[in-house]
Amino acid sequence: MALSHVDNEGKASMVDVAEKPVSTREATAIGFVHMKPETIQLVQANDLKKGDVLQVARIAGIQAAKKCSELIPLCHPLLISKVQVDFDIEDNGVAIAAYCKLAGQTGVEMEALTAVSVAALTVFDMCKAVDPDMVVGGIKVIEKTGGKTGHWQHPEQSDD
């Protein structure tokens, strides 16, 4: 299988999507910020000096999805119709999920990944004074729909 962002001469190239049909495209990505139980309690109580960690991280993730093409050189600027960033507080940290949707000629996987990544980095930034040992990880696309490939789900997310 050939790489889509490399031309015939091996040079980086933006994919031409002009001839692709417009379809509804969706992508969901996840990530996790591992942190100490004490930090989780501070996040839940909204008791960190920088403010409401999850609300600030939600806005950061949404903004990041909208700026994806400015951060990743070969991404197309997209007219995203929906970005949603959600958090689940767990015993060992904060799980993050980002969902992106549009009607267009290319997918929104990179936007969902960017939203999760920046939301996770924002959580880290807001909590680092009390927990510098946090670890950000597990960032991946878990599902996408639309376009030529249709529906795809990460094998680890399958209900089988």
Side-chain angles (χ1 to χ4, degrees), residues 78-95:
L78 301 178
L79 186 58
I80 300 172
S81 59
K82 174 76 175 170
V83 179
Q84 182 174 328
V85 179
D86 294 310
F87 304 93
D88 282 319
I89 296 177
E90 299 182 5
D91 292 340
N92 58 341
V94 177

Side-chain angles (χ1 to χ4, degrees), residues 57-134:
R58 176 174 285 116
I59 297 298
I62 292 168
Q63 284 296 105
K66 297 186 324 183
K67 298 273 189 185
C68 185
S69 67
E70 295 175 33
L71 300 169
I72 301 173
L74 300 179
C75 283
H76 292 84
L78 301 178
L79 186 58
I80 300 172
S81 59
K82 174 76 175 170
V83 179
Q84 182 174 328
V85 179
D86 294 310
F87 304 93
D88 282 319
I89 296 177
E90 299 182 5
D91 292 340
N92 58 341
V94 177
I96 305 167
Y99 165 82
C100 294
K101 179 180 180 182
L102 61 67
Q105 295 166 293
T106 189
V108 288
E109 298 93 352
M110 295 310 300
E111 288 71 15
L113 286 166
T114 301
V116 164
S117 298
V118 171
L121 292 173
T122 302
V123 169
F124 189 100
D125 178 56
M126 295 192 70
C127 299
K128 69 186 178 198
V130 297
D131 191 354
D133 297 328
M134 289 176 291

Side-chain angles (χ1 to χ4, degrees), residues 4 11 15 25-26 30 43 83 88 99 101 139 142:
S4 62
K11 297 177 186 169
V15 175
R25 296 162 185 265
E26 301 168 273
I30 60 171
V43 170
V83 179
D88 282 319
Y99 165 82
K101 179 180 180 182
I139 297 171
I142 59 166

